Amino acid sequence: MTLVPAAHERGITTLTLDSPANRNALSARLVAELGDALSACAKDPSVRAVLLSHTGGTFCAGADLRSPPDPAAFVALLRNVVALPKPVVARVSGHVRAGGLGLLGACDISAAGPGASFAFTESRLGLAPAVISMPLLPRMDPRAAARYYLTGERFGAAEAARTGLVTVASEDADEALAPVLDGLRRASPQGLAESKRLVTATVLAAFDRDTDTLVEQSARLFASREAAEGVTAFLERRDPAWVL
C-alpha cells in the first residue's frame, strides 16, 4: 500500500502523506514514493499543479530516525519540488518538524491552519538544519531563522506566515487555498512553468552552490557522538546529557 496516494480533480493532483505509524516522517520509502509521484505529475499534461496534503495531526515529523533516507535522496526530493515545472502547494493542518520544514519550504505556496505548529528541532538532537537550509534560508526572515534554528522553539501558523515559512495562516486552510487553486487552474501551463522559473531561481542557485557541502555536513553530524546521544535520548523520551 502506497504511503503517498494520489487523487486528481480539475487539473489539481493531490498527493497525501499517509504514513500514520511514524507521523509521516521522512523514511527512505516515503521519500522515494513522493519523488516518484512528483516525477509522474511533471510528465502528465493533465496536471496543472500539485497539492501536497497529509493525514492525521502531523504534516511531517522530519526524518524517520529508525529508517532515515539517504541525505542525497532527500536533497534530490527537495530540489525536485523546487524545480518541478508545475506549482506545488502545501496544505498544513498539523505539526511540522525538522526535515518536514524543508519539504514545506520547497513548496511554492502554502497555507497553514490553526492546528499547525512548527519547530526546527535539530539543534536539540546534536544536529543542524543543514540540507533544508537550501529552500528555507532564501525565503525566510533571517532574524527569525536565526532564532528558531538555534533554540528549537515551537511556533504557530501566524508566526510561520510572518517569517515567510508559509504563505498564509488561516482558520481554514482549504478556504484560504480555494482562490489559489482557482488561479492556478486559470493559468496556462507555459505561464506557470516560466513564472515558477523566475521565483525559484535563487533557491535553485542555493542547491547548485551548496548541495555537496551540506550533504557532507549532514552525514558528519548524524555520525557524531552528540547526535547519537541526542537521537537516543529522543527515542528514550529523556533529556540528552547536555541539557542544563
Side-chain angles (χ1 to χ4, degrees), residues 45-88:
S46 72
V47 178
R48 189 66 51 83
V50 175
L51 178 63
L52 185 61
S53 189
H54 63 99
T55 59
T58 300
F59 174 81
C60 180
D64 185 338
L65 299 178
R66 298 184 188 277
S67 179
D70 180 80
F74 180 47
V75 171
L77 172 65
L78 296 181
R79 198 183 196 285
N80 191 9
V81 174
V82 177
L84 203 77
K86 302 175 183 187
V88 180

Side-chain angles (χ1 to χ4, degrees), residues 26-36 69-70 73-74 77:
L26 295 161
S27 63
R29 179 183 165 194
L30 187 144
V31 166
E33 289 191 13
L34 180 55
D36 289 345
D70 180 80
F74 180 47
L77 172 65

Side-chain angles (χ1 to χ4, degrees), residues 22 25 29 31 58 88 103 111 128 131 139 177 194 211 234 236:
N22 65 356
R29 179 183 165 194
V31 166
T58 300
V88 180
L103 180 60
V131 297
R139 290 170 163 166
L177 288 176
E194 293 303 318
T211 288
F234 174 81
E236 294 178 351

